[in-house]
Amino acid sequence: MNRKHYLTLAVFCLLTPGHGHAGPYDGVYKQTANAECSLVGADGGSLKIAESIFYGVEVECRMTNPVDINDMDATIYTMECSGEGQTWTERAIMMIDAQDPGIYMIWDGYAFRYDLCEEGEY
């Protein structure tokens, strides 16, 4: 390949959004133990994180400005959220559960643990 082909390939890779760029927290998670994994964003359903976007119940948050927490499998994000006709920004910590497939999500004053939905469940 000559230099022109390498540059074309590099530009293509930079401009192609989301392909093969799964984040460490990407997945579908149960809101409760009995949650229906196929109902993303619905009460009693599931939450989804894909390509740095958190999809919750009537809310969508872009997960920006990630900062890894030293010596932990955790990241602090700026959550740029919108839902129900409003927009807001908050900070949240995402952390992988070290014992079971799932994550912890910590907002100011609130902590949640979500089990990972298995692939056939959604």
Side-chain angles (χ1 to χ4, degrees), residues 2 8 15 28 31 35 39-40 49 56-57 66-68 73 81 84 97-98 101 103 105 110 120 122:
N2 64 33
T8 302
L15 295 178
V28 178
Q31 290 182 48
L39 298 175
V40 174
I49 298 173
V57 178
V67 177
D68 290 335
D73 195 4
C81 302
E84 299 182 349
D97 187 321
I103 59 170
M105 180 179 243
Y110 301 93
Y122 54 92

Side-chain angles (χ1 to χ4, degrees), residues 104-116:
Y104 291 94
M105 180 179 243
I106 302 157
W107 299 76
D108 187 19
Y110 301 93
F112 304 94
R113 192 205 173 281
Y114 301 113
D115 286 320
L116 182 65

Side-chain angles (χ1 to χ4, degrees), residues 57-100:
V57 178
E58 299 181 19
V59 66
E60 182 177 304
C61 301
R62 293 198 169 281
M63 300 164 59
T64 64
N65 303 319
V67 177
D68 290 335
I69 299 175
N70 292 338
D71 301 322
M72 294 178 69
D73 195 4
T75 310
I76 301 172
Y77 288 96
T78 299
M79 306 293 277
E80 298 172 355
C81 302
S82 61
E84 299 182 349
Q86 297 181 338
T87 60
W88 65 97
T89 301
E90 291 190 33
R91 302 275 283 163
I93 298 172
M94 303 290 291
M95 182 170 52
I96 300 291
D97 187 321
Q99 296 180 334
D100 293 311

